[in-house]
Amino acid sequence: MDLEGIEHSRDPALLRQKSRDFYWYSPVLKRQLDGKSAELWARPRDEEEVLRLLRECRAARMPVTARGGATGNYGQCVPLEGGLVLDLTAMAAPVSLTDGVLEAEAGAKMIDLDLWARERGWELRLWPSTKRTATIGGFVAGGGAGVGGMSHGTMRERGNLLGVRVATLEDPPRILDIEGDEANPVNRTYGTTGIITRVRVPLAPAQAWRDVAIVFEKFPDAARFALSFAFADGIAKKMCGVFDSRLPPFFRGIADVVPEGHSLALVMVTAAGMLALREMAAEHGGRIVAEQDAVAAERDPAATPFYEYCWNHTTLQVLKKDRGVTYLQCRFPFEGTLESVEAVRAKFPDEVWMHTECVRFGGRITMSALPVIRFTTEERLAAIMAGFEEAGAGIANPHVFTIEEGSGYRRVPGDQLGFKRRVDPLGLFNPGKMLSFTP
Ligand SMILES: Cc1cc2nc3c(=O)[nH]c(=O)nc-3n(C[C@H](O)[C@H](O)[C@H](O)COP(=O)(O)OP(=O)(O)OC[C@H]3O[C@@H](n4cnc5c(N)ncnc54)[C@H](O)[C@@H]3O)c2cc1C
């Protein structure tokens, strides 16, 4: 292989490190994926180096697995069949910002893009709670939900991903520039349909965001408040997570202000929305116990923005102290949302520690949930998932590593298999992750 001039390594210790993500959240994936490793790691600086690497891999029939911040939870960037781990983190520059559209290199960290946009009066609309470590290419290819989702939905909503540049494994490999619906086949396909080199997303005018913590004596009151807040169209907001009383003690920076036995709502709201939020919290029996400048908090490495207690950070905060838990991803129904949440809580009072997040899907508001689960056996975990489904919740199973089995309600529409056949006829991009594809 001619890798002259391209940063790369075959050091086994480095390869092991670069072949992992956060799959170990799941005891099932941990059993399946521990020990998998690439044969080669390379970090290209530009599209030309990406294409050179892809030409070499095509000639050698070597698998290629893209890697951004490696914060994925389902082993998305674990190379199942060895090969090259193609690390995008040196391609991290913002490219342009025109009329509220940001174009950036795929390996840029989302926090850096947000700060860059803020200096120009704009901000990202949507980000994962791993904003401070995840890349924008990894968010498109492997994530897609999170903070901002209660106003803008997920990345699967038309308009949230405007376009990409993507490198293929055709003969010869080339760069495609695709936009709108045409870009759907690279949206949440775990890098099986090409290496994204640039991403174009719409921005929103920058706002002064406040992080607010509100406590409630009872979980149903917190949940009712959260859903009413989500429906309050006059209040500009980005996030509202709700946690049952077992979870706040794990949130180091704010545990002390949450009275024992109380449930918690964590909210991101504009400064202009604070008055209405205060009134709404009081109406539901809530009491504000902490407040901070959300933008300043995320710029300070010593501080914790409240979104790092929310979304899939909740599970991490617990795992830091208790390795006997895991989690689920689900979405409660649009009608009877709170009844469904309560049905699950009643069914599994000890094993399920409820954590919900308000979201929009196709213009409708509901709660998704990433509850923390006390793990005993894989059979019991499957039974708990079935219990959620019986209560009307949809599951996006985080204990499997293929797109088809794991995406559930988060699947992006579009002909991903047809596109895969076209751009990767040999099946070298992240093999084993797209179940429906055979080379
Ligand atoms: C504590 C914690 C909290 C999280 N919270 C959220 C959340 O709120 N919302 C959410 O959606 N996810 C969440 N996640 C999952 C993950 O952090 C996000 O999805 C994140 O956006 C992934 O970005 P990354 O750069 O780390 O991608 P990686 O993990 O590096 O990659 C993810 C997938 O995308 C592929 N990929 C990466 N870059 C490219 C590229 N340039 N071209 C093609 N394919 C590529 C990889 O091969 C892999 O399949 C969380 C994870 C953790 C550990």
Side-chain angles (χ1 to χ4, degrees), residues 352-378:
V352 174
W353 302 3
M354 189 52 80
H355 156 212
T356 66
E357 297 283 345
C358 296
V359 281
R360 288 180 87 91
F361 268 83
R364 293 190 294 168
I365 288 169
T366 185
M367 280 170 161
S368 61
L370 296 101
V372 172
I373 310 286
R374 170 64 63 201
F375 180 72
T376 48
T377 64
E378 292 183 20

PDB file of all heavy atoms in Angstrom, residues 352-378:
ATOM      1  N   VAL A 352     -36.475  -0.101  36.176  1.00  0.00           N
ATOM      2  CA  VAL A 352     -36.457   1.005  35.211  1.00  0.00           C
ATOM      3  C   VAL A 352     -36.422   2.330  35.959  1.00  0.00           C
ATOM      4  O   VAL A 352     -37.344   2.650  36.708  1.00  0.00           O
ATOM      5  CB  VAL A 352     -37.697   0.934  34.290  1.00  0.00           C
ATOM      6  CG1 VAL A 352     -37.760   2.165  33.393  1.00  0.00           C
ATOM      7  CG2 VAL A 352     -37.667  -0.338  33.447  1.00  0.00           C
ATOM      8  N   TRP A 353     -35.343   3.081  35.781  1.00  0.00           N
ATOM      9  CA  TRP A 353     -35.226   4.418  36.367  1.00  0.00           C
ATOM     10  C   TRP A 353     -35.567   5.397  35.251  1.00  0.00           C
ATOM     11  O   TRP A 353     -34.777   5.587  34.324  1.00  0.00           O
ATOM     12  CB  TRP A 353     -33.806   4.662  36.880  1.00  0.00           C
ATOM     13  CG  TRP A 353     -33.344   3.665  37.901  1.00  0.00           C
ATOM     14  CD1 TRP A 353     -34.018   2.567  38.370  1.00  0.00           C
ATOM     15  CD2 TRP A 353     -32.084   3.676  38.571  1.00  0.00           C
ATOM     16  NE1 TRP A 353     -33.263   1.904  39.295  1.00  0.00           N
ATOM     17  CE2 TRP A 353     -32.066   2.554  39.438  1.00  0.00           C
ATOM     18  CE3 TRP A 353     -30.972   4.508  38.530  1.00  0.00           C
ATOM     19  CZ2 TRP A 353     -30.978   2.258  40.243  1.00  0.00           C
ATOM     20  CZ3 TRP A 353     -29.896   4.212  39.338  1.00  0.00           C
ATOM     21  CH2 TRP A 353     -29.895   3.098  40.195  1.00  0.00           C
ATOM     22  N   MET A 354     -36.730   6.001  35.368  1.00  0.00           N
ATOM     23  CA  MET A 354     -37.259   6.711  34.201  1.00  0.00           C
ATOM     24  C   MET A 354     -36.537   8.030  33.920  1.00  0.00           C
ATOM     25  O   MET A 354     -36.250   8.806  34.808  1.00  0.00           O
ATOM     26  CB  MET A 354     -38.769   6.954  34.381  1.00  0.00           C
ATOM     27  CG  MET A 354     -39.450   7.482  33.130  1.00  0.00           C
ATOM     28  SD  MET A 354     -39.135   6.489  31.661  1.00  0.00           S
ATOM     29  CE  MET A 354     -40.288   5.156  31.877  1.00  0.00           C
ATOM     30  N   HIS A 355     -36.253   8.207  32.633  1.00  0.00           N
ATOM     31  CA  HIS A 355     -35.656   9.447  32.124  1.00  0.00           C
ATOM     32  C   HIS A 355     -36.276   9.699  30.757  1.00  0.00           C
ATOM     33  O   HIS A 355     -36.111   8.890  29.856  1.00  0.00           O
ATOM     34  CB  HIS A 355     -34.128   9.273  32.014  1.00  0.00           C
ATOM     35  CG  HIS A 355     -33.486  10.195  31.024  1.00  0.00           C
ATOM     36  ND1 HIS A 355     -32.371   9.851  30.298  1.00  0.00           N
ATOM     37  CD2 HIS A 355     -33.811  11.457  30.638  1.00  0.00           C
ATOM     38  CE1 HIS A 355     -32.026  10.842  29.505  1.00  0.00           C
ATOM     39  NE2 HIS A 355     -32.884  11.826  29.680  1.00  0.00           N
ATOM     40  N   THR A 356     -37.014  10.800  30.626  1.00  0.00           N
ATOM     41  CA  THR A 356     -37.632  11.122  29.332  1.00  0.00           C
ATOM     42  C   THR A 356     -37.056  12.419  28.783  1.00  0.00           C
ATOM     43  O   THR A 356     -36.521  13.255  29.525  1.00  0.00           O
ATOM     44  CB  THR A 356     -39.165  11.277  29.459  1.00  0.00           C
ATOM     45  OG1 THR A 356     -39.424  12.434  30.269  1.00  0.00           O
ATOM     46  CG2 THR A 356     -39.819  10.066  30.081  1.00  0.00           C
ATOM     47  N   GLU A 357     -37.162  12.580  27.463  1.00  0.00           N
ATOM     48  CA  GLU A 357     -36.758  13.816  26.782  1.00  0.00           C
ATOM     49  C   GLU A 357     -37.886  14.201  25.828  1.00  0.00           C
ATOM     50  O   GLU A 357     -38.370  13.353  25.061  1.00  0.00           O
ATOM     51  CB  GLU A 357     -35.473  13.598  25.956  1.00  0.00           C
ATOM     52  CG  GLU A 357     -34.244  13.229  26.768  1.00  0.00           C
ATOM     53  CD  GLU A 357     -33.605  14.415  27.484  1.00  0.00           C
ATOM     54  OE1 GLU A 357     -33.924  15.579  27.141  1.00  0.00           O
ATOM     55  OE2 GLU A 357     -32.778  14.176  28.392  1.00  0.00           O
ATOM     56  N   CYS A 358     -38.271  15.477  25.837  1.00  0.00           N
ATOM     57  CA  CYS A 358     -39.322  15.924  24.929  1.00  0.00           C
ATOM     58  C   CYS A 358     -38.756  16.069  23.516  1.00  0.00           C
ATOM     59  O   CYS A 358     -37.646  16.584  23.336  1.00  0.00           O
ATOM     60  CB  CYS A 358     -39.886  17.267  25.385  1.00  0.00           C
ATOM     61  SG  CYS A 358     -40.689  17.137  26.985  1.00  0.00           S
ATOM     62  N   VAL A 359     -39.510  15.604  22.526  1.00  0.00           N
ATOM     63  CA  VAL A 359     -39.056  15.678  21.124  1.00  0.00           C
ATOM     64  C   VAL A 359     -40.218  15.966  20.188  1.00  0.00           C
ATOM     65  O   VAL A 359     -41.381  15.714  20.534  1.00  0.00           O
ATOM     66  CB  VAL A 359     -38.427  14.345  20.627  1.00  0.00           C
ATOM     67  CG1 VAL A 359     -37.023  14.180  21.097  1.00  0.00           C
ATOM     68  CG2 VAL A 359     -39.281  13.152  20.978  1.00  0.00           C
ATOM     69  N   ARG A 360     -39.879  16.426  18.990  1.00  0.00           N
ATOM     70  CA  ARG A 360     -40.856  16.561  17.904  1.00  0.00           C
ATOM     71  C   ARG A 360     -40.541  15.508  16.859  1.00  0.00           C
ATOM     72  O   ARG A 360     -39.369  15.262  16.543  1.00  0.00           O
ATOM     73  CB  ARG A 360     -40.748  17.921  17.226  1.00  0.00           C
ATOM     74  CG  ARG A 360     -41.240  19.072  18.034  1.00  0.00           C
ATOM     75  CD  ARG A 360     -41.056  20.340  17.237  1.00  0.00           C
ATOM     76  NE  ARG A 360     -42.203  20.580  16.388  1.00  0.00           N
ATOM     77  CZ  ARG A 360     -43.261  21.300  16.770  1.00  0.00           C
ATOM     78  NH1 ARG A 360     -43.293  21.868  17.953  1.00  0.00           N
ATOM     79  NH2 ARG A 360     -44.283  21.456  15.957  1.00  0.00           N
ATOM     80  N   PHE A 361     -41.565  14.898  16.324  1.00  0.00           N
ATOM     81  CA  PHE A 361     -41.421  13.957  15.208  1.00  0.00           C
ATOM     82  C   PHE A 361     -42.489  14.321  14.190  1.00  0.00           C
ATOM     83  O   PHE A 361     -43.670  14.263  14.515  1.00  0.00           O
ATOM     84  CB  PHE A 361     -41.670  12.511  15.675  1.00  0.00           C
ATOM     85  CG  PHE A 361     -40.446  11.787  16.088  1.00  0.00           C
ATOM     86  CD1 PHE A 361     -39.931  11.931  17.359  1.00  0.00           C
ATOM     87  CD2 PHE A 361     -39.780  10.956  15.190  1.00  0.00           C
ATOM     88  CE1 PHE A 361     -38.788  11.253  17.741  1.00  0.00           C
ATOM     89  CE2 PHE A 361     -38.645  10.269  15.571  1.00  0.00           C
ATOM     90  CZ  PHE A 361     -38.144  10.419  16.848  1.00  0.00           C
ATOM     91  N   GLY A 362     -42.068  14.716  12.989  1.00  0.00           N
ATOM     92  CA  GLY A 362     -43.061  15.018  11.966  1.00  0.00           C
ATOM     93  C   GLY A 362     -44.069  16.046  12.438  1.00  0.00           C
ATOM     94  O   GLY A 362     -45.257  15.934  12.144  1.00  0.00           O
ATOM     95  N   GLY A 363     -43.604  17.040  13.184  1.00  0.00           N
ATOM     96  CA  GLY A 363     -44.488  18.125  13.622  1.00  0.00           C
ATOM     97  C   GLY A 363     -45.286  17.819  14.872  1.00  0.00           C
ATOM     98  O   GLY A 363     -46.009  18.673  15.378  1.00  0.00           O
ATOM     99  N   ARG A 364     -45.190  16.585  15.392  1.00  0.00           N
ATOM    100  CA  ARG A 364     -45.936  16.241  16.598  1.00  0.00           C
ATOM    101  C   ARG A 364     -44.983  16.094  17.783  1.00  0.00           C
ATOM    102  O   ARG A 364     -43.852  15.654  17.606  1.00  0.00           O
ATOM    103  CB  ARG A 364     -46.715  14.942  16.395  1.00  0.00           C
ATOM    104  CG  ARG A 364     -47.827  15.141  15.369  1.00  0.00           C
ATOM    105  CD  ARG A 364     -48.760  13.952  15.339  1.00  0.00           C
ATOM    106  NE  ARG A 364     -48.112  12.747  14.853  1.00  0.00           N
ATOM    107  CZ  ARG A 364     -48.653  11.526  14.941  1.00  0.00           C
ATOM    108  NH1 ARG A 364     -49.828  11.377  15.507  1.00  0.00           N
ATOM    109  NH2 ARG A 364     -48.027  10.486  14.469  1.00  0.00           N
ATOM    110  N   ILE A 365     -45.508  16.441  18.958  1.00  0.00           N
ATOM    111  CA  ILE A 365     -44.652  16.423  20.146  1.00  0.00           C
ATOM    112  C   ILE A 365     -44.951  15.190  21.001  1.00  0.00           C
ATOM    113  O   ILE A 365     -46.100  14.808  21.180  1.00  0.00           O
ATOM    114  CB  ILE A 365     -44.874  17.703  20.970  1.00  0.00           C
ATOM    115  CG1 ILE A 365     -44.252  18.894  20.225  1.00  0.00           C
ATOM    116  CG2 ILE A 365     -44.275  17.589  22.372  1.00  0.00           C
ATOM    117  CD1 ILE A 365     -44.623  20.231  20.786  1.00  0.00           C
ATOM    118  N   THR A 366     -43.892  14.586  21.496  1.00  0.00           N
ATOM    119  CA  THR A 366     -44.058  13.500  22.460  1.00  0.00           C
ATOM    120  C   THR A 366     -42.825  13.432  23.361  1.00  0.00           C
ATOM    121  O   THR A 366     -42.017  14.375  23.377  1.00  0.00           O
ATOM    122  CB  THR A 366     -44.315  12.146  21.769  1.00  0.00           C
ATOM    123  OG1 THR A 366     -44.573  11.145  22.773  1.00  0.00           O
ATOM    124  CG2 THR A 366     -43.130  11.695  20.934  1.00  0.00           C
ATOM    125  N   MET A 367     -42.708  12.340  24.092  1.00  0.00           N
ATOM    126  CA  MET A 367     -41.505  12.120  24.886  1.00  0.00           C
ATOM    127  C   MET A 367     -40.775  10.904  24.350  1.00  0.00           C
ATOM    128  O   MET A 367     -41.395   9.862  24.130  1.00  0.00           O
ATOM    129  CB  MET A 367     -41.865  11.865  26.343  1.00  0.00           C
ATOM    130  CG  MET A 367     -42.162  13.132  27.099  1.00  0.00           C
ATOM    131  SD  MET A 367     -42.831  12.700  28.684  1.00  0.00           S
ATOM    132  CE  MET A 367     -42.568  14.225  29.557  1.00  0.00           C
ATOM    133  N   SER A 368     -39.484  11.059  24.140  1.00  0.00           N
ATOM    134  CA  SER A 368     -38.679   9.868  23.944  1.00  0.00           C
ATOM    135  C   SER A 368     -38.080   9.566  25.318  1.00  0.00           C
ATOM    136  O   SER A 368     -38.175  10.384  26.238  1.00  0.00           O
ATOM    137  CB  SER A 368     -37.606  10.072  22.881  1.00  0.00           C
ATOM    138  OG  SER A 368     -36.741  11.094  23.265  1.00  0.00           O
ATOM    139  N   ALA A 369     -37.459   8.416  25.453  1.00  0.00           N
ATOM    140  CA  ALA A 369     -36.898   8.098  26.761  1.00  0.00           C
ATOM    141  C   ALA A 369     -35.614   7.316  26.609  1.00  0.00           C
ATOM    142  O   ALA A 369     -35.453   6.532  25.684  1.00  0.00           O
ATOM    143  CB  ALA A 369     -37.894   7.287  27.595  1.00  0.00           C
ATOM    144  N   LEU A 370     -34.686   7.602  27.513  1.00  0.00           N
ATOM    145  CA  LEU A 370     -33.468   6.808  27.628  1.00  0.00           C
ATOM    146  C   LEU A 370     -33.364   6.370  29.088  1.00  0.00           C
ATOM    147  O   LEU A 370     -32.500   6.831  29.834  1.00  0.00           O
ATOM    148  CB  LEU A 370     -32.230   7.629  27.217  1.00  0.00           C
ATOM    149  CG  LEU A 370     -32.201   8.071  25.756  1.00  0.00           C
ATOM    150  CD1 LEU A 370     -32.634   9.532  25.643  1.00  0.00           C
ATOM    151  CD2 LEU A 370     -30.831   7.886  25.152  1.00  0.00           C
ATOM    152  N   PRO A 371     -34.296   5.489  29.491  1.00  0.00           N
ATOM    153  CA  PRO A 371     -34.301   5.092  30.896  1.00  0.00           C
ATOM    154  C   PRO A 371     -33.061   4.280  31.228  1.00  0.00           C
ATOM    155  O   PRO A 371     -32.533   3.555  30.389  1.00  0.00           O
ATOM    156  CB  PRO A 371     -35.553   4.218  31.011  1.00  0.00           C
ATOM    157  CG  PRO A 371     -35.798   3.720  29.635  1.00  0.00           C
ATOM    158  CD  PRO A 371     -35.302   4.777  28.702  1.00  0.00           C
ATOM    159  N   VAL A 372     -32.619   4.402  32.451  1.00  0.00           N
ATOM    160  CA  VAL A 372     -31.522   3.570  32.946  1.00  0.00           C
ATOM    161  C   VAL A 372     -32.149   2.261  33.438  1.00  0.00           C
ATOM    162  O   VAL A 372     -33.185   2.277  34.098  1.00  0.00           O
ATOM    163  CB  VAL A 372     -30.779   4.302  34.085  1.00  0.00           C
ATOM    164  CG1 VAL A 372     -29.769   3.396  34.758  1.00  0.00           C
ATOM    165  CG2 VAL A 372     -30.092   5.553  33.525  1.00  0.00           C
ATOM    166  N   ILE A 373     -31.543   1.152  33.057  1.00  0.00           N
ATOM    167  CA  ILE A 373     -32.106  -0.161  33.391  1.00  0.00           C
ATOM    168  C   ILE A 373     -31.130  -0.920  34.293  1.00  0.00           C
ATOM    169  O   ILE A 373     -29.955  -1.057  33.936  1.00  0.00           O
ATOM    170  CB  ILE A 373     -32.324  -1.016  32.108  1.00  0.00           C
ATOM    171  CG1 ILE A 373     -33.078  -0.230  31.023  1.00  0.00           C
ATOM    172  CG2 ILE A 373     -33.012  -2.334  32.446  1.00  0.00           C
ATOM    173  CD1 ILE A 373     -34.531  -0.034  31.254  1.00  0.00           C
ATOM    174  N   ARG A 374     -31.639  -1.413  35.399  1.00  0.00           N
ATOM    175  CA  ARG A 374     -30.817  -2.310  36.244  1.00  0.00           C
ATOM    176  C   ARG A 374     -30.682  -3.634  35.496  1.00  0.00           C
ATOM    177  O   ARG A 374     -31.672  -4.289  35.215  1.00  0.00           O
ATOM    178  CB  ARG A 374     -31.523  -2.476  37.597  1.00  0.00           C
ATOM    179  CG  ARG A 374     -30.963  -3.521  38.497  1.00  0.00           C
ATOM    180  CD  ARG A 374     -29.545  -3.247  38.963  1.00  0.00           C
ATOM    181  NE  ARG A 374     -29.392  -2.047  39.774  1.00  0.00           N
ATOM    182  CZ  ARG A 374     -28.225  -1.396  39.944  1.00  0.00           C
ATOM    183  NH1 ARG A 374     -27.124  -1.827  39.334  1.00  0.00           N
ATOM    184  NH2 ARG A 374     -28.153  -0.322  40.687  1.00  0.00           N
ATOM    185  N   PHE A 375     -29.449  -4.001  35.108  1.00  0.00           N
ATOM    186  CA  PHE A 375     -29.252  -5.176  34.254  1.00  0.00           C
ATOM    187  C   PHE A 375     -29.092  -6.440  35.081  1.00  0.00           C
ATOM    188  O   PHE A 375     -28.319  -6.478  36.039  1.00  0.00           O
ATOM    189  CB  PHE A 375     -28.021  -4.983  33.372  1.00  0.00           C
ATOM    190  CG  PHE A 375     -27.755  -6.152  32.466  1.00  0.00           C
ATOM    191  CD1 PHE A 375     -28.591  -6.389  31.378  1.00  0.00           C
ATOM    192  CD2 PHE A 375     -26.711  -7.022  32.714  1.00  0.00           C
ATOM    193  CE1 PHE A 375     -28.377  -7.479  30.545  1.00  0.00           C
ATOM    194  CE2 PHE A 375     -26.486  -8.125  31.876  1.00  0.00           C
ATOM    195  CZ  PHE A 375     -27.317  -8.347  30.792  1.00  0.00           C
ATOM    196  N   THR A 376     -29.827  -7.496  34.661  1.00  0.00           N
ATOM    197  CA  THR A 376     -29.610  -8.816  35.266  1.00  0.00           C
ATOM    198  C   THR A 376     -29.190  -9.808  34.184  1.00  0.00           C
ATOM    199  O   THR A 376     -28.044 -10.250  34.165  1.00  0.00           O
ATOM    200  CB  THR A 376     -30.859  -9.306  36.015  1.00  0.00           C
ATOM    201  OG1 THR A 376     -32.010  -9.140  35.166  1.00  0.00           O
ATOM    202  CG2 THR A 376     -31.030  -8.597  37.330  1.00  0.00           C
ATOM    203  N   THR A 377     -30.107 -10.089  33.232  1.00  0.00           N
ATOM    204  CA  THR A 377     -29.764 -11.019  32.144  1.00  0.00           C
ATOM    205  C   THR A 377     -30.253 -10.431  30.814  1.00  0.00           C
ATOM    206  O   THR A 377     -31.110  -9.543  30.786  1.00  0.00           O
ATOM    207  CB  THR A 377     -30.466 -12.383  32.329  1.00  0.00           C
ATOM    208  OG1 THR A 377     -31.883 -12.169  32.243  1.00  0.00           O
ATOM    209  CG2 THR A 377     -30.119 -13.018  33.662  1.00  0.00           C
ATOM    210  N   GLU A 378     -29.717 -10.997  29.717  1.00  0.00           N
ATOM    211  CA  GLU A 378     -30.149 -10.533  28.394  1.00  0.00           C
ATOM    212  C   GLU A 378     -31.627 -10.871  28.159  1.00  0.00           C
ATOM    213  O   GLU A 378     -32.355 -10.114  27.516  1.00  0.00           O
ATOM    214  CB  GLU A 378     -29.262 -11.164  27.307  1.00  0.00           C
ATOM    215  CG  GLU A 378     -27.838 -10.624  27.387  1.00  0.00           C
ATOM    216  CD  GLU A 378     -26.908 -11.141  26.287  1.00  0.00           C
ATOM    217  OE1 GLU A 378     -27.380 -11.614  25.245  1.00  0.00           O
ATOM    218  OE2 GLU A 378     -25.679 -11.051  26.506  1.00  0.00           O
TER     219      GLU A 378
END
